[in-house]
Amino acid sequence: MTEKRRIVSGMRPTGPLHLGNLLGALANWVNMQDDYDCFYFIADWHALTSDYEDTRLIAAYTRQMMIDWLSVGLLPEKSTLFIQSHIKEHAELFLILSMITPVPWLERNPTYKDQMVQIKDKDLSTFGFLGYPVLQAADIIMYKAFGVPVGVDQVPHVEITREIARRFNSFYGEIFPEPQAILTQTPKILGTDRRKMSKSYNNAIFLSDSPKAIRSTVSQMITDPQRARRSDPGNPDICNVFEFHKIYTDQQKVDTINRECRTAQIGCVECKKIMADYLAAALAPVREKRTYYETRPALVDEVISNGCDRARKVAQKTLDEVRTSIRISYQGTIGA
Ligand code: TRP
Ligand code: SF4
C-alpha cells in the first residue's frame, strides 16, 4: 500500500458552525478522509489575531467546534483532529519563520489589506494580525503537507506559505515541501437575506439548530425578489430557497416545485415549509450525534488528547529537523 498524501487544514473557533461552513468546507474534509492522511485542527491562536480583546468564548467555541466536527463525520480513527495551541511547536516554528519573512510580503497580502479597510470596530494594527499568514505557514509546513483544502479567500495565505517554505529551504536546506491549495468549491446557498451566510450577519442556519429553529429561520428567507404576490409566477432559478431544495429535497418533489412555482400553483410559504422539513430531516442525525457528544465530555476530551498526541509527535520531529538545520539545537556541548 502506498502512503496516503498528507493534507492540513484549520478553522478558527469564532462561533458555532453553520450550513455554509458544512457545505463549503466540512463536507469536503469528511470526503477527503479516505484518500488522504488528514490533519485538521482548530486554530485558536489564530482566533486571537482579531479577537484578542475579549477572549472569553474562544475555549467554549473550540470545544463546540470539535463536537460539530465529530457530529458531521470527521473520524478520529481516520483523521488527526487537534487544537493548535496544544502543540507548542507551532509557536516555535512561527517565531523562526517570522525571522525570515519580509514584512512587505505581509503588507501586500490581499486579505490583510481588505480586513484593515473593512473591519472598523477592532484595532487590527497589531504585529500578530500582520503576521497571521506566518502562523498559518507554520501550521501547514509543520506537517509537511502536500495540500491544503481551503476556500479561494485563503489562496493568498497558501501562496505566502509556499514562499516562506522556499526561502527557508534556500537558507537552511531542503526540509519543507511547498504545499498547494486544494480549492473547495463554495456552495451556492446564501444566508436568509441572500448575503453570504455568516454568523455575524445573523442570516445563518446552524448545525445545532432545532427543527423549530430551522423552520423559523427558513420562514424568513428571501425568495425570488420579483415575486411580490402569491398570484405572481416565481422563478426558482434565482431563488435561494430553491438552491436548498436542490440539495436536501428529493428529486421528484424538486421537479414538482420547479413546475408549480413558475405557474404560481405553489406559494413561497408552503414551499419553505417543505424545504424546512427536508432540511431538518437531513440535520437530524447531526443533532443526534451532537447530543451524544455533549453528554459525554470525557469522550470529547479523549478525542482531543489523542489527536493532539498524534500531531505533537510529527511536530516534534519537524522541530528537531528545523533546530538542527538552523543550528540552534543544543544537545551536548554548546557552541563548541
Ligand atoms: N486562515 C484560515 C481561515 O481563516 C484558518 C487556518 C489557520 C488555516 N491555519 C490554517 C487553514 C492552516 C488551512 C491551513 O479559514
Ligand atoms: Fe422560491 Fe419556492 Fe417561492 Fe418559488 S415557490 S420563489 S422556489 S420559495
Side-chain angles (χ1 to χ4, degrees):
M1 200 190 88
T2 55
E3 292 244 322
K4 286 183 191 162
R5 290 184 294 178
R6 180 167 295 159
I7 58 170
V8 173
S9 201
M11 260 182 217
R12 280 173 306 138
T14 50
L17 292 180
H18 53 65
L19 274 186
N21 303 125
L22 177 60
L23 299 169
L26 268 184
N28 197 43
W29 287 16
V30 171
N31 289 336
M32 293 180 103
Q33 291 186 109
D34 289 322
D35 301 327
Y36 298 95
D37 177 20
C38 304
F39 278 59
Y40 298 133
F41 69 96
I42 299 173
D44 53 350
W45 275 334
H46 269 114
L48 286 178
T49 57
S50 52
D51 296 331
Y52 55 85
E53 261 193 72
D54 184 355
T55 58
R56 277 172 299 183
L57 292 173
I58 295 179
Y61 284 159
T62 296
R63 187 177 187 83
Q64 287 304 314
M65 181 165 273
M66 188 57 81
I67 292 176
D68 278 331
W69 285 8
L70 296 169
S71 304
V72 299
L74 288 184
L75 300 167
E77 313 86 72
K78 282 191 187 163
S79 298
T80 303
L81 310 176
F82 64 101
I83 298 173
Q84 183 186 40
S85 69
H86 288 26
I87 316 295
K88 307 301 177 197
E89 284 74 10
H90 286 237
E92 186 174 347
L93 188 54
F94 165 64
L95 177 136
I96 293 167
L97 297 181
S98 76
M99 301 301 168
I100 66 165
T101 304
V103 172
W105 290 8
L106 303 173
E107 287 171 335
R108 273 202 301 270
N109 169 22
T111 57
Y112 177 73
K113 290 198 288 188
D114 287 353
Q115 308 235 52
M116 285 304 262
V117 174
Q118 276 167 27
I119 301 177
K120 287 277 161 258
D121 56 334
K122 297 172 195 162
D123 179 6
L124 295 181
S125 56
T126 60
F127 180 54
F129 188 68
L130 180 66
Y132 187 114
V134 185
L135 181 55
Q136 185 160 349
D139 299 337
I140 297 167
I141 66 178
M142 180 72 83
Y143 303 98
K144 303 192 177 177
F146 116 91
V148 190
V150 281
V152 269
D153 60 308
Q154 291 295 312
V155 169
H157 293 166
V158 179
E159 194 47 49
I160 295 174
T161 302
R162 295 164 63 86
E163 285 167 349
I164 293 176
R166 213 176 297 144
R167 193 163 161 93
F168 185 99
N169 291 345
S170 75
F171 291 151
Y172 313 116
E174 291 288 322
I175 291 199
F176 295 117
E178 287 176 33
Q180 65 189 62
I182 304 174
L183 272 192
T184 321
Q185 72 281 37
T186 35
K188 281 202 218 87
I189 63 150
L190 300 167
T192 50
D193 55 1
R194 301 177 108 232
R195 291 191 290 173
K196 185 182 158 146
M197 193 179 280
S198 159
K199 184 182 74 113
S200 42
Y201 291 161
N202 234 327
N203 65 358
I205 294 163
F206 296 97
L207 300 185
S208 51
D209 279 351
S210 66
K212 201 170 149 225
I214 292 174
R215 265 177 222 118
S216 148
T217 310
V218 167
S219 75
Q220 288 153 31
M221 281 174 74
I222 296 177
T223 64
D224 167 3
Q226 314 290 322
R227 191 177 188 194
R229 276 172 300 255
R230 166 70 180 83
S231 53
D232 295 339
N235 180 3
D237 298 334
I238 56 167
C239 176
N240 188 28
V241 175
F242 194 66
E243 291 301 327
F244 280 76
H245 272 303
K246 286 197 274 188
I247 300 170
Y248 294 107
T249 305
D250 70 56
Q251 191 54 48
Q252 228 182 342
K253 194 88 202 156
V254 177
D255 294 340
T256 311
I257 291 168
N258 194 358
R259 224 175 331 106
E260 294 187 346
C261 169
R262 292 173 201 277
T263 52
Q265 281 168 280
I266 187 171
C268 295
V269 174
E270 188 194 342
C271 184
K272 286 174 175 178
K273 273 202 187 114
I274 298 170
M275 190 274 273
D277 286 342
Y278 276 99
L279 178 57
L283 289 180
V286 176
R287 255 171 69 78
E288 255 169 57
K289 282 206 208 159
R290 278 198 118 272
T291 314
Y292 177 87
Y293 288 109
E294 290 269 20
T295 51
R296 287 168 183 76
L299 182 57
V300 177
D301 287 342
E302 194 187 314
V303 166
I304 293 173
S305 118
N306 289 342
C308 289
D309 285 348
R310 247 150 70 187
R312 195 175 297 107
K313 274 207 189 90
V314 181
Q316 284 173 343
K317 191 157 168 281
T318 301
L319 257 294
D320 280 343
E321 290 175 55
V322 167
R323 293 183 200 117
T324 304
S325 65
I326 65 170
R327 295 187 165 80
I328 298 193
S329 159
Y330 302 119
Q331 290 149 351
T333 314
I334 291 167

